[in-house]
Each structure stands twice: as structure tokens, then as C-alpha cells.
Amino acid sequence: MKRGLIMNKLDNVATVLDDVAAGETVTIRGLPSIVEISTLEEIPRGHKIALVDIPVGMDVVKYGFPIGYALTDILKGSYVHVHNVGSKRTEE
């Protein structure tokens, strides 16, 4: 079983606790209910997975706070990292 952890009920991403291959199921814990998500691509341990579809421009939320915004449409189960997340801090 591949594992993931969500930190806050407002989060739209979770952290995977194991290396995950495309097509594997990740069991996300940290909320009252357990969520299972199939990955669309490989995600390294310690990196983020999208819990929902995140449209371009929408905030990426972790720990209950925006940590960036989607540079492209990010589909549920996708790898969320610097290739598809921008930072408002670096653009100011």
C-alpha cells in the first residue's frame, strides 16, 4: 500500500510517503475519512499529489495556506512540483 498525508482540511495537495509509480493507488490519511487516489504519473517520496483538479491560476494549498498557484491545469492524481506550480514571491 502506498501512503500519503494531508496536513489540513483546506489542502488541495497531499504529501506521498512512498515512491509511487504511475497508475498506483495512494491511500491519503490525515482527515476524518481516508481517501484513495490513483496516480497519473510517477511521484517521488516526499513530494505532492493533487487531491482534486487544480485549474490554471488557482492556489495550490498545503498546511491550509497557499504555497503557489497552478501554472497549468493540474489533474487529480498528478505530480505537483515546480514544473506546474508558480510562486507569487519570485514574480514580484
Side-chain angles (χ1 to χ4, degrees):
M1 171 180 64
K2 301 298 181 167
R3 305 165 299 144
L5 183 63
I6 184 171
M7 305 306 284
N8 186 290
K9 65 182 180 180
L10 300 175
D11 294 355
N12 57 12
V13 297
T15 302
V16 297
L17 303 177
D18 305 288
D19 290 328
V20 184
E24 288 190 292
T25 299
V26 178
T27 302
I28 309 291
R29 297 180 187 274
L31 293 176
S33 61
I34 296 171
V35 177
E36 292 190 342
I37 298 178
S38 291
T39 57
L40 298 179
E41 54 198 311
E42 184 177 305
I43 304 173
R45 180 183 68 153
H47 288 248
K48 296 175 291 302
I49 184 172
L51 298 173
V52 296
D53 290 343
I54 305 172
V56 65
M58 183 175 173
D59 284 342
V60 174
V61 181
K62 185 174 180 183
Y63 305 113
F65 296 97
I67 60 168
Y69 63 94
L71 294 173
T72 63
D73 290 332
I74 303 171
L75 299 178
K76 177 180 177 177
S78 293
Y79 181 27
V80 180
H81 200 52
V82 297
H83 67 285
N84 57 8
V85 177
S87 170
K88 294 176 184 172
R89 289 186 194 181
T90 60
E91 295 177 0
E92 293 176 353

